[in-house]
Amino acid sequence: KMASEDINKLAESLAKTKVGGGQLSFKGQSLKLNTAEDAEEVIKQIEEFDGLEALCLEGNTVGVEAAKVIAKALEKKSELKRCHWSDMFTGRLRSEIPPALISLGDALITAGAQLVELDLSDNAFGPDGVRGFEALLKSPACYTLQELKLNNCGMGIGGGKILAAALKECYKKSSAQGKPLALKIFVAGRNRLENDGATALAEAFGIIGTLEEVEMPQNGINHPGITALAQAFAINPLLKVINLNDNTFTEKGAVAMAKTLKALRQIEVINFGDCLVRSKGAVAIADAVKEGLHKLKELNLSFCEIQQDAALAVARAVEDKAELEKLDLNGNSLGEQGCEQLQEILEGFNMAAVLGSMSDDEGNEEEEEEEEEEGKEDEREEDEEEDEEDEEEEEQEQQLERGQGQQESLTPMIDTQNSTPVPSPPVDVATFLAFPSPEKLLQLGSKCSVLIAQQTDTSDVEKVVTTLLRISSIFKDEAPVKKAVHETTDALMRKAFTSATFNSDAFVTRLLIHMGLLKSEEKIKAVPSLCGILMTLNHMVQQDYFPKSLAPVLSAFVTKPNRAFESCSFARHMLLQTLHQL
């Protein structure tokens, strides 16, 4: 009979190896590993773990020195298959991340590991961070890779291109060895890949051909990038899941994607929510759904500016989809009648249960329809001009980013009757707030911030909100204006947040209503452009007076798809990034 202590030992070693599928996890322990000493316990556990197949470092922060010694321990772990390395560089400088990744990657290569999954999501490594695992991706350690997850890494266009080139290289080298890379899952949401990054990756996908899930939401991709992806997806016949939420398809991208969907037989999940597919695009997608896609489980076309008839076409298309669990058409323009008809069509198929909430429907009022009619003629001409316009839009957006965008302020001329120039009267706070312009704010002089804060009753939340919106409306990325806006905002908001009578929750609620991000009972006209307030918030949330507890609420509403963000995606991304790092 075995001694009880031997039995304990055996049980312990069995528990360590097999039970967790060979996984060693330090998940969420908030370990701050800077030096080699800091990492001693982690190394000891790695070394003592026989048959290590998965290592989870998520929710810790690993510095360059610690990464080196952890890497050393991994050099002997040839059975390692899964690296769960998301969110493991919290609070690190960008310059620290590539060397840490290079050490770890080199160790896996040395060990002769054959990875199945590499997850580096939620590490803000930026474009140069991709260089940190580029060598690993091109090495035999990744010839066996099936899942690559890089969600929310700030790769940008540059990083997307480096990544695409590395994947192509990996495919080429692994094919030469007779075992071509067969990647199944690719995740890269929230990376600002834009058209160029998406197009580069599409080339890699087209070569690989084995993809089953692709998730690239919130990447600022427009129709050229979407079309490139669509063409690549068509040569990946095993695709089950496509999530491109919150990119901008427009009709062109949607029609290209619909054409691809006709070729794909295994599709289970389509998430094109907040992708502006519009009615024409929705009809094309409905057509593809009707013809095939018998395994479809989820179809999300929410917040896409789809009118009633197109939405009903989508509903009719799902008639014989026996697997369908969820159809999301919320946030489109069906109107009450349209929503009822939608319900009836699905009830007719005995599928009423699949329809998600329609509570955010934008309505389709008679007046809107008349405007539509007038717009139709223009639209035909617009289609031809669209390409040029896209380029112009990009140009304008870049100008805004460089801060050369001309602020169109609604400043009325002081004296319209008299054509001779009138000396403008001295500016006071009231004139500025009535008709804000950058010039007026600068004319108020260095005291402007104090004056405005003094004259605003901060116990009145509504007053504070409207004053803040007026100040931020003139925001320009030019030194004097930017400085004046920041200083004025700081004086006003510091006074408000430090005053005992100021209700900061009510403030956020009213601000969101005025920004058009939150529905309210009363009719409130949302501000015409969100660029200024988003850029101003980006400054404000970083200041000591701003209560950190308000950040999650702001973050939730700025993350939520909304058409108001279309013209200021750069400002929105900036703010989201800042909030994420708070």
Side-chain angles (χ1 to χ4, degrees):
K1 207 174 97 166
M2 288 176 85
S4 63
E5 115 188 71
D6 289 342
I7 291 178
N8 287 347
K9 263 195 183 147
L10 181 69
E12 198 178 74
S13 70
L14 275 176
K16 259 191 177 172
T17 48
K18 291 299 161 252
V19 179
Q23 162 151 309
L24 174 59
S25 175
F26 297 94
K27 181 171 179 175
Q29 295 186 18
S30 303
L31 305 171
K32 291 193 172 44
L33 309 178
N34 296 321
T35 61
E37 287 87 49
D38 297 341
E40 266 169 16
E41 178 54 30
V42 172
I43 292 163
K44 186 165 162 275
Q45 290 199 38
I46 290 174
E47 284 171 349
E48 288 174 4
F49 197 118
D50 287 334
L52 180 65
E53 289 183 17
L55 175 62
C56 179
L57 295 172
E58 179 186 344
N60 298 291
T61 175
V62 181
V64 179
E65 290 312 307
K68 274 189 191 151
V69 289
I70 292 172
K72 197 87 196 111
L74 288 177
E75 283 180 4
K76 303 198 176 51
K77 301 291 167 184
S78 60
E79 294 170 45
L80 190 65
K81 292 183 179 59
R82 297 184 181 274
C83 300
H84 300 289
W85 293 351
S86 62
D87 186 19
M88 60 174 270
F89 296 113
T90 316
R92 295 280 160 192
L93 298 173
R94 273 201 171 167
S95 55
E96 294 179 82
I97 299 176
L101 284 173
I102 288 170
S103 305
L104 293 164
D106 287 349
L108 300 177
I109 299 170
T110 305
Q114 297 193 307
L115 294 186
V116 174
E117 179 183 359
L118 176 60
D119 184 353
L120 289 166
S121 297
D122 298 315
N123 290 314
F125 47 61
D128 29 336
V130 184
R131 295 248 181 250
F133 57 96
E134 179 185 19
L136 174 63
L137 279 180
K138 294 177 178 176
S139 77
C142 283
Y143 292 177
T144 45
L145 197 64
Q146 295 179 14
E147 305 180 24
L148 179 58
K149 299 173 182 168
L150 297 163
N151 207 44
N152 190 30
C153 294
M155 286 192 288
I157 295 173
K161 286 182 172 173
I162 299 169
L163 175 61
L167 287 171
K168 288 202 277 197
E169 179 81 353
C170 177
Y171 182 82
K172 203 169 94 186
K173 286 177 158 174
S174 54
S175 300
Q177 303 243 322
K179 32 181 194 222
L181 170 69
L183 193 65
K184 291 181 180 171
I185 296 176
F186 179 84
V187 179
R190 292 188 64 176
N191 270 297
R192 297 221 50 187
L193 292 168
E194 300 180 13
N195 288 333
D196 292 353
T199 304
L201 284 164
E203 268 181 47
F205 298 162
I207 295 168
I208 294 169
T210 50
L211 287 165
E212 294 178 16
E213 284 184 33
V214 176
E215 308 211 13
M216 297 169 68
Q218 263 198 18
N219 268 301
I221 309 169
N222 303 339
H223 71 81
I226 296 296
T227 303
L229 286 171
Q231 288 161 350
F233 292 166
I235 14 187
N236 280 269
L238 305 175
L239 267 174
K240 290 191 186 119
V241 177
I242 302 177
N243 173 1
L244 290 170
N245 191 291
D246 197 7
N247 289 294
T248 308
F249 281 40
T250 57
E251 292 88 340
K252 285 185 182 165
V255 167
M257 208 41 94
K259 190 175 161 199
T260 285
L261 291 175
K262 287 191 176 181
L264 297 174
R265 297 267 168 270
Q266 307 298 325
I267 290 285
E268 293 174 12
V269 177
I270 297 172
N271 183 343
F272 297 161
D274 195 36
C275 280
L276 207 67
V277 306
R278 299 207 175 108
S279 298
K280 265 191 212 160
V283 169
I285 290 168
D287 197 32
V289 170
K290 201 178 182 70
E291 283 185 25
L293 305 193
H294 294 292
K295 299 186 177 180
L296 191 64
K297 288 184 180 161
E298 260 185 57
L299 175 58
N300 181 345
L301 293 171
S302 58
F303 298 93
C304 274
E305 291 195 4
I306 301 169
Q307 307 288 329
Q308 173 181 328
D309 292 351
L312 299 181
V314 172
R316 291 193 189 95
V318 302
E319 177 174 4
D320 56 350
K321 309 298 168 226
E323 308 284 315
L324 192 71
E325 292 161 15
K326 196 167 164 233
L327 173 62
D328 192 346
L329 287 167
N330 201 4
N332 288 301
S333 307
L334 280 81
E336 249 170 83
Q337 260 186 318
C339 289
E340 279 166 26
Q341 278 178 283
L342 182 64
Q343 198 75 39
E344 280 164 22
I345 290 173
L346 292 168
E347 275 164 12
F349 305 151
N350 225 344
M351 291 171 81
V354 303
L355 187 63
S357 153
M358 297 293 286
S359 58
D360 290 320
D361 188 76
E362 298 283 345
N364 103 2
E365 298 153 23
E366 303 313 318
E367 313 93 273
E368 277 184 28
E369 278 173 25
E370 281 162 30
E371 282 172 31
E372 280 284 296
E373 279 315 304
E374 290 164 24
K376 280 275 160 50
E377 267 65 64
D378 310 342
E379 221 174 71
R380 285 194 197 100
E381 295 161 25
E382 258 174 40
D383 275 350
E384 285 124 50
E385 292 167 22
E386 204 178 68
D387 277 343
E388 294 164 31
E389 262 180 39
D390 278 350
E391 284 165 28
E392 270 175 43
E393 265 174 40
E394 273 175 28
E395 177 68 3
Q396 282 170 357
E397 206 177 14
Q398 283 164 0
Q399 274 192 356
L400 259 178
E401 294 185 17
R402 291 197 297 266
Q404 296 156 359
Q406 287 310 304
Q407 183 71 31
E408 294 178 19
S409 56
L410 306 170
T411 320
M413 289 306 297
I414 306 292
D415 183 351
T416 41
Q417 271 69 49
N418 195 338
S419 56
T420 52
V422 187
S424 35
V427 173
D428 59 8
V429 171
T431 347
F432 167 71
L433 290 176
F435 301 109
S437 76
E439 297 70 35
K440 289 205 191 95
L441 186 60
L442 295 173
Q443 276 171 357
L444 281 173
S446 54
K447 285 245 176 52
C448 67
S449 53
V450 189
L451 290 170
I452 289 178
Q454 272 172 358
Q455 294 185 33
T456 308
D457 172 7
T458 48
S459 62
D460 181 346
V461 169
E462 192 66 14
K463 268 269 163 41
V464 176
V465 170
T466 48
T467 307
L468 176 66
L469 287 168
R470 298 241 161 95
I471 297 166
S472 64
S473 70
I474 63 160
F475 181 89
K476 269 207 264 198
D477 209 355
E478 287 167 16
V481 180
K482 190 174 171 175
K483 185 166 176 276
V485 169
H486 285 172
E487 284 174 359
T488 314
T489 302
D490 289 342
L492 171 69
M493 296 317 301
R494 180 172 272 113
K495 178 184 170 190
F497 283 123
T498 49
S499 122
T501 51
F502 184 67
N503 179 339
S504 52
D505 290 333
F507 164 75
V508 171
T509 306
R510 299 304 302 169
L511 180 62
L512 290 166
I513 289 170
H514 279 278
M515 287 171 75
L517 304 182
L518 185 61
K519 289 207 162 70
S520 82
E521 297 306 309
E522 342 116 76
K523 277 272 175 254
I524 282 189
K525 204 158 166 40
V527 289
S529 159
L530 291 181
C531 297
I533 183 65
L534 290 171
M535 292 306 275
T536 305
L537 281 169
N538 187 45
H539 166 79
M540 200 170 112
V541 299
Q542 299 177 60
Q543 307 311 309
D544 55 0
Y545 59 74
F546 182 78
K548 293 275 183 283
S549 58
L550 302 178
V553 185
L554 265 182
S555 190
F557 279 93
V558 181
T559 305
K560 213 178 142 196
N562 197 304
R563 254 179 260 170
F565 293 130
E566 265 168 42
S567 57
C568 46
S569 59
F570 174 70
R572 177 196 192 185
H573 274 292
M574 290 281 291
L575 177 57
L576 280 174
Q577 232 167 356
T578 304
L579 286 167
H580 193 69
Q581 284 160 5
L582 282 183

